């Protein structure tokens, strides 16, 4: 009781004021960001199997080629001449085998002579097969459909199996590769969809995780992950830097409060909770 100047009024003016926040339960969605890069589904350095002079180049830089297309040709005149020689030898050997077979039928020759003639035919046929394999090695063909990169050689150059003629990449199918800290790997599994962006575009793409590296890196304790890009377009280039984002956690309901409202204690953490007209210290778990 009392007026503004009385004891009651003086007590009301000096009463402390408190700031409070009304807490509600909501879903927490933690998003992790990781750097990565875009990879072609398949990429191959085109190299000859044998050494020789490069006689023809049938592809254009940056062009799209089909699987099995002839891309380059090495000198093969010597192998063709060898094939012609073997074909003549085979014809003579088969004629000799035929005569030996007729003589054997009338006991005009021995079984051994006929077997030797048959062996000669078989040997020449085997040499022809080896010659065909050698001829095939003078041709460099596309192992799959894809886009050719820059050409590193010119016709007339002598090339070896260590020489890279060009690079072939399967760009119609793309995948991404990124690293994830060890504590988040349990949150991801094959089939999980992640989002990513490139530095050159604001468009958000999606990729589905397909595989995990079976070991962690020694320095950063991260696991390498690969994912197949869903609906890639021509704006995505293999080798591009990307930023990958994915959600972690079980998305359980949680109560959010300001950090400054938490009072650390020796064994736990407390807040001042105002409920039903009473404020009291309450232990919490963050």
């Amino acid at each position: 009781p009392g007026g503004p100047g009385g004891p009651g009024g003086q007590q009301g003016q000096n009463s402390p004021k408190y700031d409070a926040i009304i807490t509600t339960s909501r879903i927490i969605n933690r998003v992790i960001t990781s750097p990565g890069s875009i990879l072609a589904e398949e990429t191959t350095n085109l190299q000859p199997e044998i050494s020789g002079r490069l006689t023809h180049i049938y592809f254009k830089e940056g062009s799209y080629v089909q699987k099995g297309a002839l891309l380059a040709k090495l000198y093969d005149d010597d192998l063709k001449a060898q094939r012609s020689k073997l074909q003549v030898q085979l014809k003579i050997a088969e004629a000799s085998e035929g005569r030996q077979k007729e003589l054997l039928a009338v006991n005009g020759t021995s079984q051994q002579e006929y077997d030797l003639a048959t062996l000669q035919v078989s040997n020449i046929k085997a040499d022809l097969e080896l010659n065909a394999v050698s001829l095939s090695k003078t041709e460099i063909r596309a192992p799959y459909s894809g886009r050719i990169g820059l050409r590193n050689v010119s016709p007339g150059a002598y090339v070896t199996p260590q020489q890279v003629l060009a690079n072939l990449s399967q760009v119609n199918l793309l995948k991404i590769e990124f690293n994830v800290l060890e504590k988040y790997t349990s949150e991801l599994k094959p089939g999980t969809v992640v989002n990513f962006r490139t530095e050159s575009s604001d468009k958000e793409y999606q990729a589905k995780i397909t595989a995990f590296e079976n070991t962690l890196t020694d320095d950063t304790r991260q696991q390498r992950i690969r994912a197949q890009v869903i609906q890639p377009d021509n704006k995505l280039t293999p080798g591009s830097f990307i930023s990958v984002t994915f959600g972690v956690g079980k998305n359980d309901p949680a109560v959010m409060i300001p950090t400054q409202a938490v009072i650390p204690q020796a064994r736990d953490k407390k807040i001042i909770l105002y409920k039903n007209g009473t404020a009291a210290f309450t232990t919490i778990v963050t």
Side-chain angles (χ1 to χ4, degrees), residues 36-87:
S37 58
I38 300 177
L39 304 175
E41 178 67 18
E42 301 291 348
T43 182
T44 304
N45 288 331
L46 300 173
Q47 298 171 256
E49 292 188 60
I50 59 175
S51 300
R53 179 166 55 87
L54 192 63
T55 58
H56 295 87
I57 294 179
Y58 299 101
F59 65 86
K60 294 182 179 180
E61 294 176 316
S63 63
Y64 191 86
V65 297
Q66 296 294 330
K67 179 179 179 180
L70 181 60
L71 304 178
K73 180 70 175 177
L74 300 181
Y75 178 81
D76 62 354
D77 288 354
D78 53 343
L79 293 173
K80 289 181 178 178
Q82 184 184 20
R83 180 183 61 185
S84 298
K85 179 181 178 181
L86 290 172
Q87 288 173 342

Side-chain angles (χ1 to χ4, degrees), residues 50-285:
I50 59 175
S51 300
R53 179 166 55 87
L54 192 63
T55 58
H56 295 87
I57 294 179
Y58 299 101
F59 65 86
K60 294 182 179 180
E61 294 176 316
S63 63
Y64 191 86
V65 297
Q66 296 294 330
K67 179 179 179 180
L70 181 60
L71 304 178
K73 180 70 175 177
L74 300 181
Y75 178 81
D76 62 354
D77 288 354
D78 53 343
L79 293 173
K80 289 181 178 178
Q82 184 184 20
R83 180 183 61 185
S84 298
K85 179 181 178 181
L86 290 172
Q87 288 173 342
V88 172
Q89 290 177 351
L90 178 62
K91 186 176 180 180
I92 296 173
E94 288 177 338
S96 176
E97 180 192 24
R99 289 193 298 269
Q100 291 294 330
K101 185 177 181 180
E102 292 175 357
L103 291 173
L104 183 62
V106 296
N107 295 324
T109 186
S110 64
Q111 181 67 42
Q112 182 180 7
E113 291 296 330
Y114 173 73
D115 291 342
L116 289 174
T118 303
L119 178 62
Q120 181 68 11
V121 172
S122 299
N123 287 338
I124 296 175
K125 287 182 177 180
D127 290 339
L128 278 169
E129 291 179 0
L130 289 174
N131 178 264
V133 172
S134 298
L135 279 171
S136 67
K137 291 182 179 181
T138 64
E139 299 179 346
I140 295 91
R141 296 183 177 272
Y144 47 80
S145 299
R147 181 173 291 122
I148 292 283
L150 300 179
R151 176 161 56 90
N152 300 320
V153 294
S154 299
Y158 186 85
V159 296
T160 66
Q162 289 74 38
Q163 177 72 51
V164 177
L165 307 184
N167 180 271
L168 177 66
S169 297
Q170 192 176 22
V171 294
N172 59 329
L173 296 176
L174 297 175
K175 53 190 175 184
I176 63 173
E177 183 175 282
F178 59 99
N179 293 334
V180 174
L181 290 173
E182 180 181 5
K183 63 179 180 180
Y184 298 131
T185 56
S186 60
E187 306 280 349
L188 302 174
K189 60 183 180 180
T192 301
V193 176
V194 298
N195 301 319
F196 71 93
R197 296 176 183 270
T198 64
E199 289 189 322
S200 59
S201 174
D202 292 333
K203 180 180 178 180
E204 187 172 70
Y205 298 88
Q206 290 186 322
K208 182 181 294 186
I209 293 178
T210 57
F212 295 77
E213 183 60 89
N214 53 12
T215 59
L216 300 176
T217 57
D218 294 333
D219 50 351
T220 59
R221 304 301 175 189
Q222 294 183 338
Q223 190 170 25
R224 188 168 57 179
I225 299 177
R226 285 184 179 174
Q228 191 77 40
V229 178
I230 301 174
Q231 296 181 347
D233 56 30
N234 55 8
K235 295 182 180 180
L236 298 179
T237 304
S240 298
F241 176 83
I242 59 173
S243 178
V244 184
T245 57
F246 55 91
V248 296
K250 298 180 180 180
N251 293 338
D252 293 330
V255 176
M256 304 294 292
I257 62 173
T259 304
Q260 61 267 29
V262 179
I263 305 172
Q265 303 290 314
R267 296 179 179 271
D268 50 33
K269 299 174 183 178
K270 295 182 181 296
I271 61 170
I272 301 176
L273 180 64
Y274 181 78
K275 189 175 182 180
N276 298 327
T278 303
F281 285 94
T282 304
T283 302
I284 61 169
V285 177

